[in-house]
Amino acid sequence: MVVEAIEGPIALNLCLVSGASCGRKSSCPAHPIWSQAQEAMLDVLNTATVADLAIQTAAPHTRISSGKQKTV
């Protein structure tokens, strides 16, 4: 939510922008791949929190993965 608030809607490709349309979307073999990649990226971003970033800044040798701290 923070990234989208600052940067605007996130889209890996123009065909994924809400309201934008590509006439080839229904027959494009790459569209499902772009869509899947978009979903995966949003899943990663949605699991990150500002609190996680603050913890990583305070303890640079600790990495947060899925809400769990790991010492690196």
Side-chain angles (χ1 to χ4, degrees):
M1 292 187 316
V2 173
V3 172
E4 284 189 331
I6 294 169
E7 300 291 333
I10 299 168
L12 291 173
N13 197 330
L14 185 59
C15 67
L16 301 171
V17 175
S18 179
S21 187
C22 172
R24 298 175 299 198
K25 192 184 307 189
S26 63
S27 62
C28 176
H31 183 75
I33 303 302
W34 280 116
S35 185
Q36 185 178 6
Q38 171 89 7
E39 193 173 316
M41 180 186 66
L42 292 175
D43 287 345
V44 169
L45 291 175
N46 286 330
T47 62
T49 67
V50 173
D52 291 342
L53 296 175
I55 290 168
Q56 288 178 348
T57 299
H61 299 293
T62 302
R63 206 167 78 210
I64 307 295
S65 177
S66 303
K68 298 176 184 174
Q69 291 185 7
K70 295 181 180 179
T71 303
V72 183

